[in-house]
Amino acid sequence: MIPVFRSLTEDYGRDVLFVSLYDLPPRRKKLGWSIPENGEMRLEILDDENWKVKAKKYLNDRPGIHIVNGIYHNERIRHVAHLLSQGGHRFGVIMEAPANLEVGAKRVLKSLLAPIITPMRTRSVARKAEFVLSASGDRQQAFESLGFAPDRIFPFGYFPNFPSLERKDENTAPALRILCVGYLEPFKGQDCLLKALALLRARSVPVECVITGFGSAGEALKTLSIKLGLANHVQFVGVVDNERLLELFRWSNVLVAPGLEEPWGIRINEALLSGLPVVVSDGVGAKELIETSSAGQVFRAGSEASLADSLDILFRRLHNGSGLADIIREFRPSITPEAAASYIEKIIEHWEDVSRGQSAMAKRPMPPWHHPAKSRSAARLESRGL
């Protein structure tokens, strides 16, 4: 979120104080994450000793609108959210929709209990929020169930900086060069990807795949890869630094996000910003970027057959002159941090109009990535049924 709110400061003149209740966690650092440059925006990272005192001071010293990253998911967020709702402050919320990332019996139990328990934890704060930015895309019903007023729910996501990368042979590569990035956990769906690759090999579709990251499913995935006869076609490279990650983005011609269920999926943004098409499951929130832009394919979560079909289609799109690279290039400006900042600025202006009693004149903002003007490339693709 730092690049987004930095743009709100530098491009729109908003006096933004960005307060992080925690430092970047070790597991994120292990994946190569770092804190983005904050530029002219003031950034404070609170420590474990005096976070309560400083958080309360910032809320009381700054009379503008406060935006909190959630309501209930940990002690510090809960504390700040209740200070806001009980202290008469103006505030909005950015949060992910509830997601079930468990597997097996735990997943079943959570699916039964969460719809009852979660609204009990959120409703009292949600009712007082001026708006909520859904970091899981367009999840209207999910946020209504948490207690947010229907007209105060706005689709959102995660919008990082990432460079556009040159790929010399993007339309002539002899094989699908697949990149899959993230934690190696059951809910991430890498097992589905491996099974799909075996199906593609049986169809004589040439594939190469690099899987990065670490996690509890790592050894099981390597065993499955060998069992499926993919040892010469799939590399597990572990955690990579930023320089190596950029090399992999340049090497690949498709990013695959096979998660069973994920609130958003920031690597999808990074792939599109870099110029890379994406094949993503319909359980991942950022799928709407692909649905809106036609910059890839969406498959049925957990289905290796659906994923194999989507990769097969994508491989043909890369070679048939469909203008896929142009589609991605034209969509890119709608998912930059600057585009997200512009959207937040419009939402704040919208609710300032509403608070002044000008609700009849307040036009509801629309996300720039939701319904962008259809590009000539996308229109041409649609007309051909691709």
Side-chain angles (χ1 to χ4, degrees):
M1 291 295 177
I2 287 176
V4 175
F5 284 94
R6 174 180 175 174
S7 174
L8 205 62
T9 299
E10 297 176 352
D11 299 329
Y12 295 93
R14 290 280 179 180
D15 176 18
V16 177
L17 169 62
F18 193 108
V19 179
S20 179
L21 294 171
Y22 297 89
D23 196 358
L24 195 63
R27 68 197 308 256
R28 292 292 191 188
K29 292 179 180 178
K30 187 175 178 180
L31 282 178
W33 290 46
S34 60
I35 298 173
E37 293 292 331
N38 56 292
E40 297 174 15
M41 181 190 72
R42 184 179 169 194
L43 171 66
E44 294 283 345
I45 300 175
L46 303 188
D47 57 37
D48 294 339
E49 298 298 323
N50 60 359
W51 68 268
K52 281 188 178 181
V53 173
K54 280 201 168 185
K56 186 173 183 179
K57 181 179 186 300
Y58 288 140
L59 295 184
N60 291 333
D61 287 354
R62 296 178 64 84
I65 189 163
H66 303 278
I67 302 177
V68 62
N69 182 32
I71 292 178
Y72 67 93
H73 62 268
N74 66 45
E75 176 198 0
R76 298 187 189 186
I77 290 292
R78 281 195 302 274
H79 180 79
V80 171
H82 281 93
L83 284 178
L84 288 168
S85 65
Q86 295 169 8
H89 300 282
R90 293 184 60 209
F91 73 97
V93 179
I94 298 179
M95 64 183 289
E96 297 172 352
N100 188 349
L101 305 184
E102 304 292 346
V103 294
K106 288 184 177 180
R107 181 174 178 83
V108 174
L109 185 62
K110 185 172 181 178
S111 68
L112 294 173
L113 296 179
I116 300 170
I117 295 173
T118 303
M120 294 171 61
R121 304 170 72 184
T122 60
R123 194 169 288 127
S124 63
V125 176
R127 286 173 174 168
K128 296 181 180 180
E130 294 195 13
F131 58 81
V132 59
L133 305 179
S134 162
S136 299
D138 191 358
R139 295 291 303 279
Q140 182 76 22
Q141 187 57 49
F143 282 93
E144 287 186 29
S145 71
L146 297 180
F148 291 98
D151 62 338
R152 300 187 177 196
I153 301 167
F154 295 88
F156 204 65
Y158 294 102
F159 299 92
N161 274 320
F162 204 81
S164 178
L165 304 174
E166 291 295 326
R167 296 179 184 83
K168 294 180 180 179
D169 61 347
E170 59 188 351
N171 295 319
T172 59
L176 265 179
R177 296 200 297 255
I178 297 165
L179 178 62
C180 184
V181 180
Y183 295 118
L184 305 183
E185 299 293 344
F187 73 90
K188 284 289 191 176
Q190 290 98 343
D191 58 334
C192 180
L193 172 58
L194 293 175
K195 293 172 185 176
L197 295 183
L199 292 176
L200 288 174
R201 292 281 299 157
R203 301 179 192 178
S204 299
V205 177
V207 294
E208 301 171 43
C209 179
V210 172
I211 297 176
T212 76
F214 70 99
S216 65
E219 291 305 314
L221 290 169
K222 292 174 185 177
T223 300
L224 177 61
S225 178
I226 294 170
K227 181 180 178 180
L228 293 171
L230 297 171
N232 294 327
H233 305 283
V234 177
Q235 296 182 60
F236 292 88
V237 298
V239 176
V240 297
D241 60 24
N242 285 335
E243 184 176 348
R244 176 61 173 146
L245 183 64
L246 289 176
E247 290 177 2
L248 290 172
F249 268 95
R250 290 189 182 95
W251 166 84
S252 58
N253 53 25
V254 58
L255 180 120
V256 176
L260 300 178
E261 183 175 353
E262 292 186 56
W264 185 251
I266 200 168
R267 296 304 188 189
I268 288 137
N269 297 65
E270 292 175 346
L272 295 173
L273 289 169
S274 80
L276 194 64
V278 175
V279 173
V280 58
S281 93
D282 61 6
V284 176
K287 70 180 182 298
E288 69 181 47
L289 300 183
I290 306 305
E291 292 170 336
T292 299
S293 65
S294 299
Q297 302 294 136
V298 179
F299 73 94
R300 189 167 68 256
S303 170
E304 61 264 28
S306 178
L307 176 50
D309 289 344
S310 293
L311 286 168
D312 205 347
I313 292 169
L314 194 283
F315 187 51
R316 286 185 273 119
R317 288 181 66 185
L318 286 170
H319 289 270
N320 68 4
S322 63
L324 185 54
D326 292 336
I327 291 171
I328 299 169
R329 192 177 300 112
E330 292 171 23
F331 185 65
R332 188 182 195 278
S334 67
I335 58 169
T336 60
E338 293 76 17
S342 172
Y343 179 42
I344 292 178
E345 173 69 12
K346 291 174 183 175
I347 290 171
I348 293 173
E349 290 178 346
H350 171 78
W351 282 107
E352 286 173 346
D353 288 343
V354 170
S355 66
R356 290 193 294 265
Q358 299 176 356
S359 56
M361 300 174 59
K363 185 177 180 181
R364 182 179 173 83
M366 179 175 289
W369 54 89
H370 244 212
H371 300 289
K374 190 183 292 292
S375 69
R376 290 189 298 273
S377 302
R380 186 167 62 248
L381 188 69
E382 187 176 277
S383 70
R384 295 168 59 186
L386 296 173

